[in-house]
Amino acid sequence: LPLTERLKRRIIDGERNGLDDDLATALAEGYKALDIVNDILLDGMKVVGDLFGSGQMQLPFVLQSAEVMKAAVAYLEPHMEATDDSGKGTIVLATVKGDVHDIGKNLVDIILSNNGYTVVNIGIKQPIAAILEAAEQHQADVIGMSGLLVKSTVVMKDNLAEMMARGLHSRWPVMLGGAALTRAYVEDDLRGQFDGDVHYAKDAFEGLSLMDKVMT
Ligand code: B1M
């Protein structure tokens, strides 16, 4: 198989052996680390999602694919371009309560960290109380929540309601992302119910440009 197909295949098959060599070759051939993630590896992850969704792939294999994806991102991270500017602001990042998916959230972490933001990544399955506590403790400028399950979209809605109930809605702008969300859900439904500032980021790059916008 050609290199790009082989890399995509490694994600789909959950095949870790030879991964580093292929990634090294791709870098040597001039592919940018971020493009490898976005244009090749995420394509593989999409296939995994489709196969799982249609019952053609079982969960342990999805997990293996996720592990290979994580290993690939870890290998590529040192090769990602970083900016010199730092101290642009602080974001607390969490996957919401009941949700374990963290590959996307961790990508957002990498992109923001490499572009001058301080990221306090508090992990998965985080209840709103823990998110707010971390935001308080680290004097965050923005709160970021990720969620991939459909039920996480409801959790996010509840989290915004909880921020309003605590009178904290004006304190932190909120950025939401994850495959189960849609722009319309965030910008029409949620924004209509939230007195604070809530944004949708389709991917890590939109997350970065949103941060740049919110922080200026
Ligand atoms: Co799960 N899973 N999974 N899974 N899984 C999905 C989400 C699913 C759509 C698969 C499917 O059915 N087709 C489906 C959800 C269906 C639904 O809710 N209706 C699903 C399911 C059902 C489940 C379980 C319930 C399965 C089970 O146990 N029976 C279970 C859930 C457990 C739980 O959370 N309580 C489960 C478990 C798992 C694994 C553990 C095996 C593994 C996760 C491993 C891990 O993350 N450490 C896994 C995986 C890998 C997936 C799929 C295949 C891939 C997800 C992924 O990593 N994508 C996924 C299928 C899919 O998404 N289509 C699926 C790559 C990642 C980079 O994309 O996270 O979307 P994503 O991030 C993007 C953007 O969304 C954005 O930036 C990234 C790109 O730049 N973004 C943000 C994300 N967060 C952001 C935050 C921001 C800004 C942008 O600001 C704060």
Side-chain angles (χ1 to χ4, degrees):
L1 285 179
L3 180 62
T4 54
E5 267 312 302
R6 206 160 65 228
L7 276 167
K8 185 173 153 188
R9 206 64 238 175
R10 287 191 184 287
I11 300 292
I12 300 168
D13 296 341
E15 178 56 67
R16 176 86 174 73
N17 283 338
L19 175 73
D20 291 4
D21 287 345
D22 277 350
L23 291 173
T25 308
L27 289 170
E29 285 186 6
Y31 286 94
K32 290 209 169 115
L34 268 180
D35 294 342
I36 298 176
V37 173
N38 284 321
D39 302 341
I40 306 172
L41 305 178
L42 285 185
D43 260 8
M45 214 57 205
K46 190 180 174 309
V47 175
V48 171
D50 292 345
L51 288 173
F52 178 61
S54 63
Q56 291 168 268
M57 190 189 254
Q58 300 304 309
L59 198 61
F61 297 99
V62 179
L63 195 54
Q64 272 184 33
S65 296
E67 290 304 323
V68 175
M69 181 76 197
K70 285 186 164 193
V73 172
Y75 182 94
L76 293 170
E77 189 186 351
H79 300 277
M80 289 181 192
E81 285 167 24
T83 54
D84 283 340
D85 42 335
S86 61
K88 279 161 64 175
T90 300
I91 180 170
V92 162
L93 209 54
T95 300
V96 298
K97 186 178 75 178
D99 197 324
V100 305
H101 298 87
D102 66 355
I103 296 174
K105 166 181 68 63
N106 294 341
L107 265 180
V108 174
D109 180 348
I110 290 171
I111 304 291
L112 294 182
S113 303
N114 281 338
N115 284 281
Y117 290 99
T118 302
V119 179
V120 181
N121 186 341
I122 62 169
I124 59 172
K125 297 204 270 185
Q126 292 297 320
I128 184 64
I131 297 172
L132 294 174
E133 204 180 302
E136 181 72 60
Q137 191 191 337
H138 296 275
Q139 302 279 307
D141 301 294
V142 178
I143 286 177
M145 302 185 219
S146 177
L148 267 74
L149 301 172
V150 169
K151 73 173 189 199
S152 297
T153 63
V154 180
V155 173
M156 287 175 183
K157 182 185 192 157
D158 294 346
N159 287 354
L160 295 180
E162 179 64 22
M163 286 178 74
M164 298 231 299
R166 293 189 186 202
L168 292 172
H169 49 279
S170 325
R171 177 89 179 269
W172 293 289
V174 179
M175 175 159 82
L176 303 177
L181 289 171
T182 61
R183 188 173 300 282
Y185 179 70
V186 177
E187 296 183 354
D188 300 337
D189 297 10
L190 296 185
R191 208 172 264 175
Q193 299 164 32
F194 187 57
D195 290 341
D197 206 6
V198 61
H199 304 272
Y200 170 71
K202 173 172 63 65
D203 55 30
F205 296 103
E206 192 173 354
L208 175 60
S209 55
L210 262 174
M211 282 300 286
D212 288 344
K213 224 180 279 168
V214 168
M215 294 306 301
T216 49

